[in-house]
Amino acid sequence: MELPLLEVKEVQKSYFENGKEFKVLDLIRFELAERDFVCVVGPSGCGKSTLLRIIVGLEPPTSGQVLFGGSPIRADNPQVAMVFQSFALFPWLTVTQNVELGLEAQGIPPEARRPRAHKFIDAVGLTGFENAFPRELSGGMKQRVGLARALAIEPLLLCMDEPFSSLDPLTAQNLRDEILQLWANPDLPPKAVLMVTHSIEEAVYLADRVMVLSSRPGRMVAELEIDLPRPRNRKEPEFYGWVDEIYSLIV
Amino acid sequence: MRGLRGRLRILAGITILIAITVAALNPQAAWNAIQLPLFALFSTTRMVLAYMLSLVFAIAYGHTAATNKRAAVILLPILDVLQSIPILGFFPAALFFFVATFPGSPIGIEFAVVFLIFTSMAWNMAFGVYESLTTIPVDLEAAAASFGLRGWLRFRLLAFPAVIPKLVYNSILSWSNGWFFLVASEVFTAFGQNFRRPGLGAFIADAGLSGDNAGIALGIGVLAAVVLALDTFVWRPLGVWSERFRMETTGHEVPRVPSPYERFRWLPRFPRLRRTFLTAVQPVVTKYHRASVRLDRTYSAHRKVIRDIRYLDLAMFVVVLLLVVVAGVVGLARLFLSPLPPAAVELPRAAASSFIRLALAYAIALAWTIPLAAWIGRNPRGSRYLTPVLEVAASLPATALLPIIVGFALFATASLGPAAELSAVLIALFSMQWYLLFNLIAGVRAIPEDLNEAARSFGLRGRAYWRRVLLPAMVPSLLTGSITAWGAGWNALIVSEYIPFLSPPPHVSGLGYLLDISTFSKPPSNAMILLTILMMIVIVLAMNKLLWRPLYKRAAVKYRVEV
């Protein structure tokens, strides 16, 4: 049998303050295979962002472990890329330089990384803005840069932490559709997507599988396969059936 | 800006005319004046050397404190103390050390001067580096980590750019601090001996000593010109450039707080000159880029060696630090184990009178800076004309104004005792007031327009507006300004309570006076020097910990304007 891409095994996370333990995440376990688009949904404060930080190796779990391709995850793993809610663009670097960031860290020479960066800048529709600085871009364009930067290292797994939450609703919806288009293109990375969001509708709109977390401490309440055909229509009763079901699980 | 350029040309013309007239009337003065550019060059070179030292120190120290938690436990308190002590008090010790190291050569004094300026510049720059590194947004750190930025690459792409805005801003402050100490240190009396090195400060002091009013004016004029030229050609462009490195915290539109670099907005920009300069440095920039790519490669090839060097470096620093601490403890033990010198009885009274003098200067400064800052902060048109005038005035270090202030005090009171008292307060005032003024203006400008409009729409005017909007908004910046102002005040006391180059030397009782006479006596009374400095350090630290910090913490919660 083929190895799953990502294995999250009994992950627990606690913070300690004055000797008291605050449990944030409790025994989270799931697997991610190739061609999975998974959303983690939960109320705010359920530790879903912490979970993502643990999964990409930015924080160690208190117990349990995260395996990527069968071995423990490392933060600088070039096969995992991250998109941030706050975009996390380097304000002093141009769009191209931001997109090249991961390639530069891998030691790829400038002549080789330039065309790769431009390919992904084109893919997210930012042609013509290669030399702009982040502060000159609108929120939606900034997040496109964040997306291009993540795709440029051609990761197997793309992790997104509330990527649309700082955008206005219209921009967010456009970007969601574009992500689905990129996802549908088999020539482009990634092989799997893991996204964290607090918006149930967003999760049902995007994901093949939705994982529902309860709040404080975050526990896995349910894992649901969303079998709606794409493109999905928010106005259909089936769509709302899923939203209502997840909503009742959280509340 | 064209109008300003025209005015500058007229000003240059007038200066040349005056210079020709002076030369015709007084050849000796003209000869002195011809040497002035050379003196200006000497003084500026000292400043540049000290600044470069400070820059390297600040980045190394701040970076270590921010990235190494164990080191930070020692490094931060040390920085805190260093920043609050009146460093002028240590100058005699440094002078003694350097002169003894290079006997019979002026190099010793030069080292001492550069070292003194360094001590006035380095600490707040190091703090700036530390603060910016610890306030890098979490997500940016996470992005750097998850895209694999490490070591040199992380420093070049994340850490160094992140410190630039604060480093430039604090450099501007440090640079004007530096002038104060440069002028004070080019002529110095200690151990019954006069030390002097040619420079602008020495020129002004000499002119003051010989009562040459034209010389004083000329020296101060040239000093102001040098300070302003550096602001125009170095700090202003650097400030504008550093804006690019400012963090945007979120994707939301944040109301823009006026940047401190807009300070120099009125300075001419000389676009043609700048373009020529930029074309000229283009090859250097290209070379830098190439070099940094090569450095990236070298770094990843020798990662282990570099880490070892860094540990060695840190270990050496710890050893030096331990030596200094041990020496300090031994010195203190010896001081308190031997009988106190008889003059020590005067310490409490001297401390009290020095404190009262500073409090008086502080009160006067508050009385005029608060209303003026409120006016300037809310009247952009008025501030356009007034700000340049104030900034030129503020660019002159109080030490350079010393001859004028003493002359004025003698003229105003006509007897030595009151004149000494008046001049001491005035010098303290001149050292303190600008910190308050410019901080307060920034505070008023930072009031969000929404808040002002809300106040206006509810009909808040006059006293109610002051009480509900203006004064609360000024509180945090007032406290920041006060801490710096008091620090500057203590340093000013050392030069103002005893003025050795006049005879008979005017003096008033106080800590500065005690310190000075203990230094100037031959042989110097080491025990008294140490005791006086300790007394000052205790007062400054006590005020910081017991007064300013608690007030600042409360103000930060209560009066912070959320943006």
Side-chain angles (χ1 to χ4, degrees):
Chain A
M1 201 192 98
E2 205 188 333
L3 218 64
L5 194 62
L6 178 81
E7 288 172 87
V8 177
K9 290 181 147 176
E10 271 78 47
V11 162
Q12 275 195 33
K13 181 77 183 178
S14 301
Y15 291 106
F16 296 90
E17 206 173 294
N18 307 326
K20 269 174 83 183
E21 186 182 356
F22 293 93
K23 196 173 264 186
V24 189
L25 292 169
D26 196 12
L27 293 178
I28 307 282
R29 53 192 287 209
F30 66 91
E31 285 177 1
L32 215 74
E34 286 194 4
R35 298 310 300 165
D36 267 350
F37 196 128
V38 174
C39 276
V40 178
V41 207
S44 54
C46 71
K48 51 192 187 305
S49 287
T50 311
L51 176 63
L52 200 65
R53 288 174 65 86
I54 291 173
I55 287 173
V56 298
L58 287 170
E59 262 179 63
T62 310
S63 68
Q65 74 181 141
V66 177
L67 299 179
F68 183 81
S71 49
I73 189 83
R74 291 172 43 142
D76 54 359
N77 188 336
Q79 285 163 338
V80 180
M82 179 95 167
V83 172
F84 297 84
Q85 175 179 3
S86 64
F87 319 133
L89 301 179
F90 289 49
W92 42 82
L93 301 181
T94 62
V95 168
T96 308
Q97 288 169 328
N98 263 295
V99 174
E100 283 179 354
L101 202 66
L103 306 175
E104 200 171 351
Q106 291 171 23
I108 296 172
E111 317 81 59
R113 60 188 192 231
R114 189 68 27 109
R116 253 171 92 178
H118 283 170
K119 173 181 158 195
F120 287 98
I121 292 173
D122 285 349
V124 298
L126 281 181
T127 317
F129 290 94
E130 289 86 354
N131 295 319
F133 284 96
R135 70 182 72 246
E136 297 157 5
L137 305 177
S138 69
M141 290 159 92
K142 280 181 200 161
Q143 195 54 299
R144 282 164 206 264
V145 180
L147 192 62
R149 179 174 68 177
L151 295 178
I153 62 172
E154 307 193 345
L156 294 177
L157 173 64
L158 176 67
C159 290
M160 300 196 276
D161 184 6
E162 305 256 11
F164 311 116
S165 300
S166 350
L167 303 175
D168 66 89
L170 222 64
T171 314
Q173 187 51 37
N174 283 338
L175 214 51
R176 274 182 212 119
D177 287 334
E178 276 176 51
I179 285 202
L180 286 178
Q181 268 176 29
L182 289 171
W183 174 240
N185 182 349
D187 296 338
L188 288 178
K191 295 279 182 244
V193 179
L194 178 63
M195 183 175 135
V196 156
T197 175
H198 64 257
S199 156
I200 298 169
E201 267 196 49
E202 184 173 285
V204 175
Y205 187 76
L206 291 172
D208 305 318
R209 196 143 52 96
V210 173
M211 285 185 296
V212 186
L213 286 195
S214 68
S215 71
R216 254 164 258 181
R219 278 201 192 91
M220 290 275 270
V221 181
E223 198 172 334
L224 309 162
E225 299 273 343
I226 312 286
D227 50 4
L228 295 174
R230 295 173 190 272
R232 290 171 185 167
N233 186 344
R234 289 162 179 272
K235 295 203 173 100
E236 277 169 16
E238 288 90 344
F239 189 95
Y240 256 87
W242 280 114
V243 172
D244 284 345
E245 186 179 342
I246 297 174
Y247 188 76
S248 61
L249 280 168
I250 289 179
V251 179
Chain B
M1 280 303 141
R2 179 162 291 171
L4 194 60
R5 231 159 95 185
R7 260 174 279 159
L8 279 181
R9 260 186 214 148
I10 295 171
L11 208 68
I14 294 174
T15 318
I16 292 170
L17 270 181
I18 292 177
I20 293 173
T21 325
V22 169
L25 291 177
N26 187 343
Q28 179 61 40
W31 168 238
N32 284 346
I34 288 170
Q35 290 172 293
L36 264 177
L38 201 62
F39 288 161
L41 187 70
F42 287 156
S43 294
T44 314
T45 309
R46 284 176 201 129
M47 291 280 287
V48 170
L49 286 177
Y51 178 72
M52 294 201 303
L53 272 179
S54 310
L55 199 62
V56 172
F57 169 85
I59 293 177
Y61 200 98
H63 194 261
T64 314
T67 48
N68 189 327
K69 283 214 181 86
R70 239 170 289 164
V73 177
I74 335 173
L75 295 184
L76 285 180
I78 292 179
L79 204 55
D80 204 26
V81 173
L82 283 175
Q83 203 179 20
S84 19
I85 58 180
I87 40 185
L88 208 48
F90 286 102
F91 187 51
L95 197 60
F96 182 75
F97 172 77
F98 283 112
V99 170
T101 315
F102 301 92
S105 148
I107 294 178
I109 312 174
E110 287 293 351
F111 267 113
V113 171
V114 170
F115 179 76
L116 179 77
I117 304 170
F118 164 81
T119 54
S120 72
M121 288 176 162
W123 323 133
N124 91 70
M125 287 163 65
F127 250 123
V129 171
Y130 171 76
E131 271 174 18
S132 358
L133 285 178
T134 44
T135 52
I136 294 178
V138 189
D139 276 358
L140 214 56
E141 296 258 17
S146 78
F147 286 104
L149 294 187
R150 259 180 306 168
W152 157 252
L153 205 60
R154 185 180 181 282
F155 179 78
R156 181 163 78 78
L157 291 178
L158 180 67
F160 185 63
V163 304
I164 286 176
K166 231 178 213 143
L167 192 59
V168 172
Y169 181 54
N170 285 4
S171 295
I172 295 173
L173 294 181
S174 285
W175 192 264
S176 48
N177 264 345
W179 285 117
F180 181 97
F181 291 101
L182 173 93
V183 173
S185 64
E186 280 181 351
V187 177
F188 207 86
T189 315
F191 330 119
Q193 229 183 315
N194 260 317
F195 297 91
R196 66 188 305 284
R197 293 303 302 149
L200 279 181
F203 181 88
I204 296 170
D206 284 349
L209 193 57
S210 56
D212 170 11
N213 289 335
I216 297 176
L218 198 61
I220 291 179
V222 171
L223 180 60
V226 171
V227 171
L228 281 179
L230 285 169
D231 274 358
T232 314
F233 292 111
V234 180
W235 297 119
R236 185 184 193 284
L238 266 181
V240 172
W241 172 75
S242 74
E243 280 291 290
R244 179 195 300 188
F245 299 90
R246 211 150 261 280
M247 295 287 175
E248 292 176 287
T249 37
T250 51
H252 306 290
E253 283 301 314
V254 180
R256 236 175 76 73
V257 179
S259 127
Y261 313 114
E262 285 170 21
R263 240 188 81 179
F264 300 125
R265 203 165 25 180
W266 52 275
L267 286 175
R269 302 195 56 175
F270 300 107
R272 213 180 310 157
L273 209 66
R274 260 194 3 184
R275 227 171 300 135
T276 328
F277 176 74
L278 285 180
T279 341
V281 295
Q282 192 53 48
V284 183
V285 174
T286 323
K287 265 198 197 118
Y288 163 78
H289 279 299
R290 272 200 213 121
S292 60
V293 169
R294 221 172 301 142
L295 253 171
D296 292 353
R297 284 194 194 134
T298 329
Y299 186 91
S300 41
H302 304 284
R303 191 170 284 160
K304 278 222 182 77
V305 183
I306 287 166
R307 203 187 48 202
D308 291 346
I309 292 175
R310 270 188 60 185
Y311 283 139
L312 197 73
D313 196 38
L314 214 67
M316 268 166 60
F317 182 79
V318 170
V319 169
V320 170
L321 197 78
L322 280 178
L323 281 178
V324 172
V325 170
V326 168
V329 169
V330 169
L332 281 184
R334 205 183 286 162
L335 176 68
F336 286 109
L337 287 180
S338 58
L340 287 178
V345 201
E346 297 172 40
L347 273 173
R349 258 199 54 205
S353 48
S354 283
F355 183 84
I356 292 171
R357 205 162 289 134
L358 286 187
L360 185 64
Y362 181 65
I364 299 173
L366 280 188
W368 76 266
T369 52
I370 290 182
L372 188 67
W375 188 81
I376 288 184
R378 288 180 307 142
N379 290 280
R381 204 181 315 161
S383 87
R384 197 162 9 139
Y385 295 103
L386 209 52
T387 314
V389 177
L390 289 170
E391 273 170 10
V392 173
S395 72
L396 291 172
T399 41
L401 299 176
L402 196 98
I404 297 183
I405 292 176
V406 174
F408 168 77
L410 281 171
F411 170 77
T413 58
S415 77
L416 206 58
E421 191 62 66
L422 180 62
S423 68
V425 173
L426 280 179
I427 291 166
L429 174 67
F430 271 82
S431 322
M432 292 169 107
Q433 59 192 1
W434 305 117
Y435 293 108
L436 289 173
L437 181 70
F438 291 114
N439 267 301
L440 286 173
I441 292 177
V444 176
R445 290 222 174 114
I447 301 177
E449 205 35 48
D450 296 3
L451 214 62
N452 268 330
E453 276 168 8
R456 213 175 306 141
S457 77
F458 288 114
L460 227 53
R461 249 179 293 142
R463 273 180 61 175
Y465 178 73
W466 273 79
R467 218 162 62 88
R468 289 287 172 232
V469 182
L470 265 182
L471 289 178
M474 281 173 155
V475 169
S477 53
L478 173 69
L479 291 174
T480 324
S482 299
I483 296 172
T484 341
W486 277 83
W490 286 107
N491 272 312
L493 286 184
I494 297 173
V495 293
S496 71
E497 288 186 343
Y498 180 72
I499 296 156
F501 47 79
L502 289 186
S503 55
H507 67 87
V508 288
S509 84
L511 283 182
Y513 169 68
L514 276 186
L515 181 66
D516 290 340
I517 52 162
S518 329
T519 318
F520 301 146
S521 65
K522 195 179 181 184
S525 159
N526 287 328
M528 269 312 284
I529 295 179
L530 253 176
L531 277 176
T532 323
I533 294 177
L534 271 181
M535 189 85 190
M536 282 197 191
I537 295 178
V538 168
I539 297 175
V540 173
L541 283 181
M543 274 183 76
N544 281 355
K545 298 278 174 236
L546 302 178
L547 183 71
W548 300 123
R549 287 279 161 81
L551 277 178
Y552 192 82
K553 260 189 199 148
R554 279 182 50 187
V557 176
K558 192 170 172 191
Y559 296 121
R560 204 166 64 101
V561 180
E562 305 264 347
V563 284

